Each structure stands twice: as C-alpha cells, then as structure tokens.
C-alpha cells in the first residue's frame, strides 16, 4: 500500500470473490452464477439503439426497475430501492442503519464483515448451531441492527418466516435486514411482511435467479421511510448508480419472469439430483434452498478434493479454517456441467 492511504484503512481485509478464470476451459461452479442466459427480451432490448444513448446519463429516479419490482411485490414504488448490485445496497444500508452496530451469524456471507470494517461498524457474530442452523435466541431484544442471509450462505439453509417475524417483533427499535440473494430457489420472501414491520428491509439481487450477474443490479424492499433513507445516501454519494442498459435489462427481466421461473425449476431439479448422487457417494449435505450445494466429503478432506477438482479443470469454492474447512460449496450448473463434475469427483474418490 502507498504511504498516502488513510491509516484507518491499514488493517482492512478486502472481500475475496470466487476465482474468475480467463478462457472457457474450466467448469465454473464456484460463484453461484446461473448457467442460463438472460431472456430473449433482455437480449433484444440491449441493442445498438439503446447503446447509442450511452452518451446520456441514466435515470436517477431508477423508475424502470423500481416500478417493475413494486408491481411484482405488490407494493408502491416508494417501497423499492435499486442499487449497483446487492453489495452496494447492503453497504449503504449498513452505513445508514449501523450507528449502534450489527449482528449476524459467524458463518454467513463474508462481505458483511468487510462492510462493517470499512465503515467502522461494530458487529457481533453469534455462532450457528452445530447443524449450521441459526439460533434466533441470539437476535431477540438485540441492542443493534441485524442481518440475516436467508437462505444463508454458504450453507443454503432457509430460516422460516415465522422465525424472521420473531426477530422483527423482538427488535422494534432496530432495522432487521433480510438478504434474499437465493430465496427464489426454494424459500419464501419476507417482502410480504414489509407492510407489517417498519423495521424490515428485504434485499435482493438479479445476479442469481435472474441470470444477470454481469449486469450488477440489486434492490431493497421496505417501508417508504427506510427507502427514503437509502435514496438520501445514494443521492449524496452516487446518484447515477445504475447504468442505462442495466436499468432496461432489469425492467425487461421482471416483465418476462416466467422464463426465469423455468430456469429456476431446472436448477432446483438439478440440485436435487446432484445432492442425491453426492450422498450416495458418502457426502453429507445441508438442506440447501439455494442454487448451490454445501457438502462434506466422506473423509472431510475438502481441501484435497478442491485441489484435485481444480487440476481437472472444475472450480468449486473452498472456505479454509473454522467449521467450514471440511465442506465444499458447489454451484449448481447445467446438467452437462454437473455430470462432468460428478465424473471428475468419482475419479478422485
């Protein structure tokens, strides 16, 4: 680092994304992307006519996306916020509502702790139970805001909305963020509770279930007051945060959701099939409701298998250290990709 860097940032540890190999030789099952392309409507709308408008700023009101999402969730546009990926949404929300700190599980999406360090937000990290489920007793009558990834990452385990409601009811004076990056793969969205709880902020992304990871589009649904807070920060920092083409792609994707529902069904079917095959090979898997499988090899030698798969040009995710060191997180790809993964895995075993 340079000698000019703010000394308060010396100890900052950046988030480490999954490896993005160049070229098409790897079977890439490490970043939970969809194996399917965007819908035809999205592909068609991103043509030359729209690209020629890139000399103009995008819509700072974000109306193309917020209006479409409002209709989808049965709320008003004032209840929807949009951001440059859900990571930006989470960062702004944590900064906005983290004056007294945040609480989130010890095993969850790693970016939460990076955001907390970046903004100097104090956080507590209650441990998951031995089966990787959330013990909600740690989040009852909290002295700070709460973040729950639901389904959780990297475990894929879904916390029922009845439990989310208990956390919301017990923390009326603190914001509860429910990060639903994977909810469309088997969970139930907490967005239905927004009208009931003023302290609820539901965060989502177009990266997983909408096949638009490269577009960088995220959103939040909450009370008009919470959304107004987020927009106040956005317009004080990055008012044109979403480019013109991404706004169009998001709007068209929502309009053509049936296509994405069919893609999700394929992923869920493939997830079920592959998990059954892994279990037949002696793996232990969590009950994933996401587009990935969290699995422990028979001998717990996850690091060895991760490296052996890499040598066979198959990328999965390995989280060294702690209670995750014996597990692999395997994104659900196409059936062809998963068959190649299973063939490689069987040869290693």
């Amino acid at each position: 680092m340079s000698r000019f860097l703010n000394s308060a940032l010396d100890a900052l540890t950046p988030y480490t994304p999954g490896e993005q190999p160049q070229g098409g030789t790897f079977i890439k099952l490490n970043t939970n992307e969809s194996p399917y392309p965007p819908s035809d409507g999205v592909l068609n709308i991103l043509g030359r006519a729209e690209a020629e408008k890139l000399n103009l700023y995008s819509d700072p009101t974000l109306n193309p996306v917020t209006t479409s999402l409002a209709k989808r969730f049965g709320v008003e546009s004032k209840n929807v916020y949009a951001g440059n990926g859900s990571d930006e949404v989470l960062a702004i929300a944590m900064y906005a509502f983290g004056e007294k700190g945040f609480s989130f599980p010890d095993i969850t999406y790693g970016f939460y702790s990076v955001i907390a360090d970046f903004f100097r937000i104090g956080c507590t990290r209650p441990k998951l139970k031995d089966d990787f489920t959330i013990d909600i007793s740690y989040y009852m009558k909290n002295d700070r805001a709460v973040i729950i990834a639901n389904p959780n990452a990297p475990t894929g385990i879904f916390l029922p909305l009845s439990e989310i409601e208990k956390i919301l009811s017990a923390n009326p004076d603190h914001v509860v963020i429910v990060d639903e990056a994977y909810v469309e793969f088997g969970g139930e969205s907490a967005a239905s509770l927004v009208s009931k709880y003023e302290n609820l902020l539901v965060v989502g992304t177009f990266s997983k279930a909408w096949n638009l990871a490269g577009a960088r589009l995220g959103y939040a649904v909450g009370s008009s007051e919470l959304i107004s807070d987020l927009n106040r920060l956005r317009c004080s920092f990055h008012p044109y945060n979403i480019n013109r083409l991404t706004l169009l792609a998001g709007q068209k994707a929502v309009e053509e959701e049936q296509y994405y529902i069919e893609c999700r069904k394929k992923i869920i079917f493939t997830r079920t099939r592959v998990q059954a095959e892994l279990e037949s090979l002696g793996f232990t898997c969590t009950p994933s409701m996401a587009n990935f499988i969290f699995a422990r090899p028979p001998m717990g030698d996850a690091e060895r298998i991760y490296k052996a798969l890499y040598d066979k040009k198959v990328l999965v995710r390995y989280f060294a250290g702690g209670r995750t060191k014996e597990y692999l997180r395997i994104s659900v790809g196409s059936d062809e990709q998963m068959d190649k993964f299973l063939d490689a895995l069987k040869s290693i075993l």
Side-chain angles (χ1 to χ4, degrees), residues 19-33:
E19 186 174 352
Q20 297 282 357
Q22 300 301 312
T25 58
F26 275 89
I27 296 173
K28 194 167 176 296
L29 306 175
N30 66 327
T31 50
N32 302 339
E33 297 149 319

Side-chain angles (χ1 to χ4, degrees), residues 121-141:
I121 298 170
C123 59
T124 59
R125 307 194 62 179
K127 287 188 176 182
L128 296 179
K129 297 178 183 179
D130 290 342
D131 62 356
F132 294 114
T133 57
I134 292 174
D135 185 346
I136 69 166
S137 66
Y138 287 117
Y139 304 96
M140 307 300 283
K141 296 183 180 179

Side-chain angles (χ1 to χ4, degrees), residues 29-253:
L29 306 175
N30 66 327
T31 50
N32 302 339
E33 297 149 319
S34 173
Y36 303 110
S39 60
D40 285 342
V42 170
L43 297 176
N44 292 335
I45 203 170
L46 301 180
R48 182 182 180 90
E50 292 299 333
E52 286 179 345
K53 298 177 185 177
L54 288 176
N55 59 309
L56 305 174
Y57 283 114
S58 57
D59 184 350
T61 70
L62 310 177
N63 276 336
V65 166
T66 57
T67 301
S68 297
L69 286 172
K71 183 177 180 181
R72 179 182 187 261
F73 287 112
V75 297
E76 298 182 47
S77 295
K78 65 182 180 180
N79 298 113
V80 182
Y81 173 86
N84 195 312
S86 61
D87 288 340
E88 184 192 73
V89 178
L90 290 165
I92 289 179
M94 288 185 69
Y95 185 61
F97 309 122
E99 183 178 1
K100 295 183 179 179
F102 267 94
S103 184
F104 48 85
D106 66 326
I107 299 174
T108 192
Y109 183 31
F111 199 51
Y112 302 153
S113 58
V114 175
I115 296 170
D117 288 345
F118 188 89
F119 290 120
R120 294 177 153 186
I121 298 170
C123 59
T124 59
R125 307 194 62 179
K127 287 188 176 182
L128 296 179
K129 297 178 183 179
D130 290 342
D131 62 356
F132 294 114
T133 57
I134 292 174
D135 185 346
I136 69 166
S137 66
Y138 287 117
Y139 304 96
M140 307 300 283
K141 296 183 180 179
N142 232 34
D143 62 351
R144 60 191 64 212
V146 174
I147 300 181
I148 299 292
N150 201 32
N152 196 13
T155 66
I157 297 175
F158 180 74
L159 185 67
L161 290 195
S162 58
E163 300 291 274
I164 295 290
E165 283 210 70
K166 291 176 184 177
I167 296 173
L168 286 162
S169 298
N171 294 278
D173 298 322
H174 301 286
V175 169
V176 176
I177 298 175
V178 182
D179 181 2
E180 296 185 341
Y182 304 100
V183 75
E184 292 93 346
F185 298 102
E188 182 182 1
S189 177
S192 60
L193 303 175
V194 163
S195 62
K196 188 176 179 181
Y197 296 97
E198 65 174 350
N199 59 329
L200 170 62
L201 187 72
V202 178
V203 175
T205 179
F206 279 71
S207 294
K208 318 301 181 182
W210 297 92
N211 309 7
L212 288 172
R216 309 310 304 131
L217 182 60
Y219 63 87
V221 183
S223 70
S224 60
E225 290 81 7
L226 291 182
I227 299 303
S228 177
D229 292 339
L230 296 181
N231 276 313
R232 182 177 185 179
L233 267 67
R234 175 180 67 87
C235 292
S236 301
F237 168 69
H238 195 188
Y240 299 104
N241 61 329
I242 303 176
N243 71 72
R244 298 179 64 92
L245 298 183
T246 292
L247 284 174
L248 284 172
Q251 178 185 24
K252 183 58 70 172

